[in-house]
Structures are given as C-alpha cells and as structure tokens.
Amino acid sequence: MRSLILIVSTVIILILIIQSCEKFQPAAPSEDEILDGPIEGLTNAENIQFLNGDRAFSEVYTSSKGLGPLFVTNSCVSCHSGDGKGHPFSTLTRFGQSDTSGNQFLTMGGPQLQHRAIPGYEPESIPEGASFSRFTPPAVTGLGYLQYVTDADILEMADPNDMDNDGVSGVPNWMPLKDFLQPSTNAISQNGKYIHRFGKKASAYDLLDQTVGAYNQDMGITSTFSPIDTYSGLSIDPEVSDKDVRDVVFYLETLKAPIQRNKDDPEVVQGKNLFVDINCAACHKPTLTTGYSPIDKLSNKTFHPYTDLLLHDMGSNLDDGYTEGAAQTYEWRTPPLWGLGLSPTTQGGQYFLMHDGRANTIEEAILMHGGEAQSSKLLYENLAEQEKNALIKFLESL
Amino acid sequence: MKKRITIVFVLLSALSYSQIDSTLFKRTEKDSSLQLNMDAVYDRPFLSYGKFPVSLGGYAEVNWQHIGTDGVSEGHQFQMRRMTLFVASTISRKIKFLSEIEFEEGGKEIAIEFASIDVEFHPLFNLRSGIIMNPIGAFNQNHDGPKWEFTDRPVSAVQLLPATWSNAGFGLFGKTYKGDWMFGYEFYLSGGFDDEIIDNDLGKTFLPVSKDNPERFTESASGRPLTTAKLAIRNKYVGEIGLSYMGGVYNTYQDDGIILDDKRRLNVFAIDYNTTIPKINTFITGEFVWIHVEVPESYTQQYGNMQHGGFIDVVQPVLQRKMFGWEDATLNLAFRLEYVDWNVGKFDETGGNIADDLWSVMPAISFRPSQQTVFRLNYRIQRQQDFLGNVPANTAGFSFGISSYF
C-alpha cells in the first residue's frame, strides 16, 4: 500500500513538472530591451526569408568555407553582436585616402586593413605614409527604414551653404554606383553620381553594397558581386551564394527599429525638449519617413532614427586624415541615435561611441562634437546639471 | 565500416539468441573491490554464457527534457541519447579483447569508442593496442551513463575535453597495491587532433570537433603522436586522485613533404578526484582541466589559446532499502556544479576579460532500483556569456532520464 502511494505520488509530481515546466524557465527579455527581431506584420514568406538571413548573418566562416586568407573577423555577427554596436576587438581600420581624389593605396591592400590571417599567412599592415581611420561597428537595426528614405527627402535636409544660418550645413556623399548596383526607384542623380547613405562616411549606396563589401573586406569572402580576393588581388570563385547575400540584405531591411523605453518619464520628456532646443536635432533628425518600398511594411512609414543621413564637418578633433568618396576627412555622417541606450548590451557592458569608439560615456561623445556641432556642444555645456542629466536620460531611453 | 559493424552484431546476436536456455547465462556483477578509474572499461556488468569465452554487455540512455533559454524553448524533447554495446573476450591466457561500440542519437552516429587487445606481462606492465580511450581526466574513461546521477554529461567533459575521446594507438598500463594504497599508471601514443580545433564554425577553440574527423583512425593530421599519460593513487579512506596529461602537435604543418605552417602544439592537464565519505556514504567526484593550444599570433582571438573548466558532483544516498519490491534500492539527492571558460585571456585591444564562459548548477534526485539502473530527474540552471561578455544567456529546465546496463 505504502509503495503504491509512493508510486502514484511520484507519477503525479512528474506530471506536474511536465505540465508546468515553462514556469521553471527564464522569461524572455522584453521587446524594448533587445535589438534583434523582425519588424511586425511580415508575411510568413517574409519571416522565412528573415530567418534564412539571420542564419547567414550568424554563419561563422572557416578557412574551408573561404575565410580570408586575410580577414578582420569571421562572421557578420561577431562584429554586429545582437545586431548592436561592436567592440574595439571588432573595430576595423581603413587607410589610404586623404582627399576626394580617391584612394592612393588600392594596390597596397587599401582601403581596408585585414590585420588578421588564417594560419600560414601573413596579415596586412598599414603602408607607410597612408593616413587611416578606425571604425567601430555600428548597430544594424532599423536600416530598412533608412534605406527607403527618398533621395528628395535627403536633399531637402541638406543645406550645403547654410542658408538658414544655424551653423549646420550637411551634404550628401555623391559617388558613382558600383557595377553590381541598381539605382533605387526614387534615386536622383547628379553628373552620373548618386547619393550614398550607409557607413560612417556615407560611402555605401544601399544594404546590398554594404553586405557585399562586408563579405569581401571584413571576412575575405568573395561573391559574384565582388569576386576579387583581397589577398591575391585576383578574381576567384564565389565563396558565398547570391541567395545568402540576398537573404542577409532582406534580414537587414526587415530588422525592427529599436523601441524607446521610459518614453513618458518627465525627465526623459524634458531631455527630449532640450535636445531640440540646443539644436542637436539639426543633424540628429528625430523623424523621417520612407517612400515606396517593395516590402509592404516599409512603404510610407514614419520613424524616429535621429539622423539626417548627411555628412557634417565635425571639427579637427574628429579629423583622422582619412576619407571615402566625396566626403572630406573631417566630415562624418550623422549616426542614428536610436538604440543608443542599449549599446552596452552588445559592447560587453560598456559604451564605445563615436566612429572609432573613443567615447566611453554619452557625455564624452557630446563633448567631442566640434565643427558644425560646436555651438550645439557649447549650449550643452551651458546647461544646468539637472538639464544635462535629463538630456542624457533621454538619450539612454532611445 | 558501418556495414562491417552491422555484420558483427548480427552474428553476435544470432549466437546469443540461438541459445535460449537462460539458466546458462551468468551475470557478472560489477567488481566492487578496490578500483581505480582506469578500471572502468572492465568494471561493467557483463553477460557471459557458460564457458563461452565471449561476454556481452551494454547500456542505454533515454531522456525527456524541456529546457528554455531566455524565453525560447524547443519544447518537449524525447531523446534516445545513446546505446552502447560491449563485447569482451579472453583470447588466451593473459590476452583479452574488449570493445565498446556506441550508437548515438538513434543511430545517426556510430562510433567505436574502444576496441583494444590487452596483453598482460605483469600487473605493472600491460600492453594495450587498438582503439584506446585517452586517459585524460576521469570522465573520458568512466563515462557509462548508468554510473551517473545526471542525464547530461559534464559540459567540461564534452565541450572542453572531447568525451568520449578515443584514438587508434598503443601503450602501457599497470597497477599495484600495498595495504590501503593503490597506484596505477597509463601511457599511450595515439592519433589525435587536427587544425579544425582552431578553425571551426563554432568560432571558438573546441577540441571536440576533431571527433568529427573520421580519417583520424587511419591518418594522423600532424603525423606526430598524441601522448597521453596518467598517474592515479587511491587510498581506501581518502579516495583517488588522478593527474593526467595529453599533448602533441595538432596541425598539418606539412603535406607531401612540403612545409605549410609552423608546428603548433596543444597541451592538456587534468586533475580528477573521487571519494566516498565513510559512514554517511556521500560520494564526491570531480575533475578540472587546463588546455593550452598554440594559436598563431596573427590569427583571431576568437579562438582562444587557453581554456579551463571542470565539474564536481556530490551524491548523497538518503534511503537505502527495499523499495517497490527491489531489494537493494537507493534514493539519492545529488548536485553538480560546473564551470567552463572556452577563452581564458584578455583582449589585445582593451585589456578587458574575454568571456565565452558558462556556469551551471544542477540539483538532482535519482532512484536506483539496483546499481545497474538509474532513474534521474535534474533541474539545470545555467548562465552563459558570449565572447564579449554581454548580458548572459540564462538557461533552465528539467530533464528526466533512465539509464541502465543490460
């Protein structure tokens, strides 16, 4: 009898555990705490492509899959961990172009330094006399929205001659299109050149351009779009399929935009107003809209990236003497500020801000602004302590 | 290869089926006299038939599990983890053959874990050759499911060390007793690792990837032997301590006589310990390993050159009596603590710690109707950090499993 009771109670306990096992497992972090995940409302077919892209984005390349021989790291996700910003470990170096006349070191390994190599090979080093700049990986969230902002809207924000006299001009990076790229439906061209918008110098046209370049320059993976091997300088067989490249592009297009936290906190609201008052918003434009997109959920949408996608003179302290396309060495594209507060979740618990990660706090980043942003920075410095805190609290909520 | 194994088994099972008179079968129980870890291959229940020189044995492991990481779970998982068959035979006086063949995940993987001919010249001097289990740590040689109170093998044993790690090779072993003391040694030369331990799609230094290289039983990647050596001492009252080393050149530094790369070594040190506390019968076992792999300076720190980790199990019998009709049943409470760091070191760029590590604690209840069979219920709580040390992934969940010798 006693053993019957024992058996029955053991079975009941087991059933209870099986029934309620989800309760004993860690809960998911809330949506606004993480950067990855698709935009809402994708079709099932789009979700499938998103997942395929996610897998390709996470794929670790090995020497047998074509890694290198020269490379920077071995997967997209190793630099864009959690789809967020990168770390000094994954910070890359570009060199060899010091004015708008183009890169003079293309035959000596430029524009990108591959400072790592698979066993048996010697990595590159920066050739003597080449100026260089270091780029910390940016977050890759919400880029689909940025891709479908129309050229007309970008030109509307540009003010090359500072007609409105606010000290902030802003110019697009006009560059010729690479062979494998198609101008977008709403593209505007000028002397055969097009507005490029991605990357710190706005030198990548669209997400395909950026992805193909990353495979080739960051990992040493050739594709039909970009078949030249960085080691030999000669064309070799594609090491990533067109489908994988397309899936990754689709994945980048459909990654959700970061979600703001503590939006209604009075201090955050105060900070947001100050952000506009001291003219941060002249470059970090709070609201943009998309034009037509073949992805239905991205067409004609209003969103809040805090960028104008334009290049600005940021002063001599941020001038590394290196540049790309039509940008000057002292010009940088305004980075979106959405997701800023979540940066430490992918940067190993710390902040590494500005193009090369030189700022370890948001305040440091602000104080490094110069050039067109000089007066805005001075206004920040003149804020009361409480106001500064409110502004930073707002930035952290993004 | 697969075919040949199948034929052997069909023959063997035909042999045993055709003799139905079960009274002739004799079950050799585990030998419970003073034992060292190295005896684990023989320390198993075998089924033998009369004077027939071949004895058979094996074990199986079945699991149910429901584990989730940060709100994502694969749901209910039912797993036939593995089934292992042992065949042992005494070929002639002082010459023994023993083999262990493992079918993993429903036959997806079939591996000869062990198949060796042992020749005894003297208790202190035995020659072993064939597919040997490298005596690194204790778990690798003593991995039978029914011996453990946990459904999962220790993370450090299967994701730092490559348990079950066996290679074609040969070597010597022996042991000796004196009073309450026992001493054993093993020394083998065998095939070993290859370049993929630092060039794999896990993106981390990972010794177990070499298990996927089927060539390794016929061709050593480096052309150099992997040396494995172990010393073990047991005192009847204090327990057993083992010190082991495994190392050698792992990369294909030349091919066709042409130099391709520098020679690069790997060195592994392990310490293992087990004891049973008298009177209260608490059983404690654990091992800790340190791995050093030469990684080229100009390669990437994603593949670390140092790793370490280990586990400790504490098993406390709480009830030992007749239960549910089983004469000598035991109910145990158990606990496992484990830690693994796949990349011990600091970033060249920042001097900050490279994480890539894992902590896990696992309370368990196990019930043994007899020593040969175990029912076990585990609850795992685990935190794993990525390479950069970002917010850890939290994993937790239950698993229930049955494992038994047959």
Side-chain angles (χ1 to χ4, degrees):
Chain A
M1 187 59 203
R2 262 184 60 194
S3 60
L4 191 68
I5 294 173
L6 249 168
I7 293 176
V8 171
S9 48
T10 314
V11 169
I12 290 176
I13 289 172
L14 274 179
I15 289 175
L16 277 178
I17 286 176
I18 291 175
Q19 284 299 318
S20 59
C21 43
E22 236 114 84
K23 294 204 181 60
F24 293 97
Q25 291 172 15
S30 64
E31 265 302 295
D32 59 10
E33 292 294 333
I34 47 173
L35 291 166
D36 52 352
I39 52 178
E40 263 174 56
L42 293 183
T43 65
N44 288 350
E46 287 170 334
N47 276 329
I48 292 171
Q49 194 175 6
F50 177 88
L51 264 186
N52 288 338
D54 193 356
R55 276 189 206 113
F57 192 79
S58 308
E59 177 159 7
V60 174
Y61 280 85
T62 59
S63 57
S64 61
K65 288 194 215 162
L67 177 70
L70 307 182
F71 66 96
V72 183
T73 68
N74 58 15
S75 63
C76 304
V77 81
S78 63
C79 290
H80 303 287
S81 147
D83 298 314
K85 286 197 175 73
H87 182 269
F89 167 79
S90 52
T91 292
L92 52 82
T93 305
R94 303 237 180 94
F95 63 88
Q97 181 174 345
S98 46
D99 53 36
T100 54
S101 68
N103 197 306
Q104 309 303 319
F105 287 82
L106 290 180
T107 53
M108 296 171 78
Q112 192 161 306
L113 179 74
Q114 283 89 31
H115 65 295
R116 301 191 175 107
I118 61 171
Y121 290 79
E122 279 302 313
E124 293 177 339
S125 51
I126 302 174
E128 207 161 310
S131 62
F132 66 91
S133 192
R134 296 168 53 69
F135 290 11
T136 298
V140 291
T141 43
L143 298 183
Y145 292 99
L146 294 176
Q147 171 153 294
Y148 293 106
V149 173
T150 63
D151 282 6
D153 279 2
I154 295 181
L155 286 174
E156 179 74 30
M157 291 183 279
D159 182 15
N161 302 316
D162 193 16
M163 303 294 273
D164 61 1
N165 253 321
D166 63 350
V168 175
S169 41
V171 289
N173 196 347
W174 293 98
M175 291 172 67
L177 272 194
K178 297 194 181 82
D179 300 340
F180 61 87
L181 298 173
Q182 295 289 322
S184 65
T185 38
N186 49 39
I188 295 173
S189 75
Q190 210 178 61
N191 309 323
K193 295 181 177 172
Y194 289 85
I195 298 177
H196 286 46
R197 66 181 72 187
F198 290 108
K200 316 239 172 194
K201 291 284 188 187
S203 64
Y205 183 66
D206 58 9
L207 295 172
L208 177 65
D209 189 4
Q210 186 73 49
T211 300
V212 166
Y215 272 116
N216 188 295
Q217 297 288 313
D218 301 352
M219 305 195 280
I221 298 296
T222 54
S223 57
T224 54
F225 307 99
S226 178
I228 306 293
D229 170 40
T230 51
Y231 176 67
S232 61
L234 301 171
S235 69
I236 57 170
D237 292 338
E239 293 162 330
V240 57
S241 68
D242 285 15
K243 178 181 181 298
D244 277 359
V245 172
R246 304 274 184 211
D247 287 346
V248 167
V249 169
F250 185 83
Y251 169 75
L252 294 168
E253 285 176 330
T254 50
L255 269 174
K256 72 171 196 227
I259 303 166
Q260 192 184 356
R261 298 157 306 287
N262 310 321
K263 224 175 168 157
D264 303 322
D265 182 310
E267 227 184 330
V268 168
V269 175
Q270 184 199 3
K272 185 172 181 180
N273 293 332
L274 285 165
F275 186 80
V276 177
D277 292 348
I278 63 172
N279 222 15
C280 308
C283 302
H284 297 286
K285 289 269 192 286
T287 304
L288 299 180
T289 51
T290 57
Y292 164 79
S293 161
I295 300 164
D296 195 39
K297 287 287 159 200
L298 289 173
S299 274
N300 307 310
K301 287 281 178 296
T302 300
F303 60 102
H304 308 288
Y306 298 89
T307 176
D308 56 3
L309 299 171
L310 294 170
L311 295 166
H312 296 275
D313 172 356
M314 293 300 287
S316 55
N317 284 341
L318 291 171
D319 184 348
D320 297 335
Y322 167 80
T323 195
E324 292 168 2
Q328 302 292 338
T329 52
Y330 46 80
E331 284 180 327
W332 297 96
R333 187 206 65 172
T334 314
L337 297 180
W338 57 10
L340 183 71
L342 297 180
S343 307
T345 64
T346 64
Q347 297 190 300
Q350 288 162 274
Y351 278 106
F352 295 100
L353 300 177
M354 306 304 269
H355 64 272
D356 53 3
R358 64 178 76 178
N360 293 117
T361 62
I362 293 179
E363 178 158 46
E364 268 178 51
I366 298 172
L367 297 177
M368 285 172 188
H369 283 56
E372 293 171 37
Q374 180 71 14
S375 63
S376 192
K377 177 187 74 178
L378 292 176
L379 288 171
Y380 170 81
E381 284 178 323
N382 288 333
L383 291 179
E385 208 54 35
Q386 187 277 332
E387 292 172 315
K388 285 186 186 169
N389 290 340
L391 179 66
I392 299 216
K393 200 154 177 202
F394 160 67
L395 291 169
E396 282 170 350
S397 79
L398 292 177
Chain B
M1 189 69 199
K2 239 185 191 167
K3 238 197 215 146
R4 244 185 287 158
I5 298 172
T6 328
I7 293 171
V8 170
F9 276 103
V10 170
L11 283 177
L12 283 171
S13 46
L15 263 176
S16 42
Y17 273 121
S18 54
Q19 343 233 319
I20 339 164
D21 184 358
S22 68
T23 55
L24 281 173
F25 285 109
K26 191 171 97 229
R27 199 167 256 292
T28 329
E29 294 296 331
K30 268 170 49 175
D31 176 0
S32 55
S33 66
L34 205 55
Q35 291 281 357
L36 289 173
N37 238 308
M38 61 183 279
D39 300 314
V41 284
Y42 289 110
D43 181 23
R44 290 162 159 168
F46 278 102
L47 206 57
S48 54
Y49 170 73
K51 289 219 161 115
F52 194 61
V54 175
S55 44
L56 290 177
Y59 70 88
E61 269 183 289
V62 200
N63 285 338
W64 159 84
Q65 108 188 158
H66 198 298
I67 300 232
T69 301
D70 292 337
V72 184
S73 167
E74 297 287 322
H76 295 278
Q77 298 292 321
F78 299 89
Q79 308 164 325
M80 177 75 196
R81 280 275 173 88
R82 55 181 67 83
M83 184 182 92
T84 298
L85 296 172
F86 319 131
V87 181
S89 71
T90 303
I91 300 169
S92 66
R93 226 184 105 253
K94 306 214 163 176
I95 304 183
K96 280 192 259 186
F97 175 78
L98 192 118
S99 68
E100 173 179 351
I101 292 165
E102 181 168 279
F103 300 79
E104 279 200 304
E105 296 168 34
K108 212 167 80 186
E109 270 179 50
I110 300 177
I112 303 182
E113 309 254 83
F114 188 78
S116 88
I117 300 173
D118 290 358
V119 184
E120 183 183 334
F121 295 101
H122 180 274
L124 257 175
F125 196 75
N126 300 266
L127 182 70
R128 171 170 287 174
S129 58
I131 292 179
I132 56 134
M133 267 183 296
N134 301 66
I136 182 74
F139 186 88
N140 196 46
Q141 285 179 312
N142 195 7
H143 59 256
D144 290 1
K147 288 188 178 163
W148 301 83
E149 317 306 308
F150 303 88
T151 57
D152 291 330
R153 293 176 164 189
V155 183
S156 64
V158 291
Q159 295 193 50
L160 273 187
L161 293 177
T164 311
W165 176 235
S166 43
N167 284 290
F170 63 91
L172 302 171
F173 67 93
K175 60 178 183 179
T176 181
Y177 314 70
K178 184 141 191 145
D180 294 333
W181 293 88
M182 188 168 191
F183 166 82
Y185 81 93
E186 287 172 275
F187 178 86
Y188 303 114
L189 298 178
S190 69
F193 295 93
D194 57 69
D195 299 77
E196 288 197 15
I197 63 173
I198 61 154
D199 186 13
N200 56 63
D201 53 20
L202 292 152
K204 58 173 77 168
T205 299
F206 205 71
L207 271 46
V209 290
S210 287
K211 283 176 63 173
D212 298 337
N213 175 4
E215 310 284 300
R216 77 176 201 281
F217 293 108
T218 47
E219 187 182 338
S220 157
S222 68
R224 295 276 175 135
L226 179 72
T227 306
T228 315
K230 180 163 185 183
L231 295 178
I233 292 183
R234 171 179 282 284
N235 176 283
K236 206 166 145 188
Y237 306 103
V238 183
E240 172 182 353
I241 185 162
L243 298 176
S244 45
Y245 165 80
M246 171 168 79
V249 174
Y250 67 88
N251 64 325
T252 307
Y253 61 91
Q254 63 171 9
D255 198 8
D256 266 351
I258 297 170
I259 301 293
L260 308 174
D261 198 358
D262 298 336
K263 275 184 214 153
R264 278 178 276 111
R265 285 185 66 87
L266 128 165
N267 294 307
V268 183
F269 296 93
I271 181 165
D272 60 82
Y273 179 70
N274 70 77
T275 191
T276 305
I277 300 176
K279 298 228 169 66
I280 53 170
N281 277 334
T282 313
F283 176 64
I284 299 172
T285 182
E287 72 182 35
F288 203 91
V289 305
W290 293 264
I291 297 171
H292 176 255
V293 179
E294 280 181 355
V295 177
E297 199 69 34
S298 52
Y299 195 43
T300 164
Q301 282 193 293
Q302 289 160 294
Y303 296 96
N305 56 6
M306 298 229 274
Q307 305 185 310
H308 60 219
F311 72 95
I312 180 159
D313 285 4
V314 180
V315 182
Q316 179 62 56
V318 285
L319 217 57
Q320 225 160 352
R321 61 177 177 87
K322 182 170 172 179
M323 275 182 268
F324 311 123
W326 284 295
E327 281 305 327
D328 189 19
T330 321
L331 184 72
N332 299 302
L333 290 180
F335 184 80
R336 172 176 289 168
L337 176 67
E338 29 189 351
Y339 165 66
V340 167
D341 189 341
W342 284 277
N343 200 332
V344 179
K346 306 218 173 295
F347 284 108
D348 291 342
E349 291 79 10
T350 60
N353 178 46
I354 302 179
D356 212 355
D357 49 23
L358 173 149
W359 279 99
S360 159
V361 292
M362 193 153 51
I365 301 176
S366 72
F367 173 68
R368 291 182 177 272
S370 74
Q371 278 317 300
Q372 265 65 270
T373 304
V374 57
F375 295 73
R376 47 204 178 185
L377 176 70
N378 306 162
Y379 180 66
R380 184 188 278 284
I381 308 166
Q382 174 186 302
R383 284 165 70 88
Q384 182 164 7
Q385 269 192 315
D386 67 5
F387 176 68
L388 297 175
N390 288 317
V391 195
N394 286 304
T395 300
F398 280 102
S399 53
F400 174 75
I402 305 174
S403 183
S404 181
Y405 284 111
F406 50 78

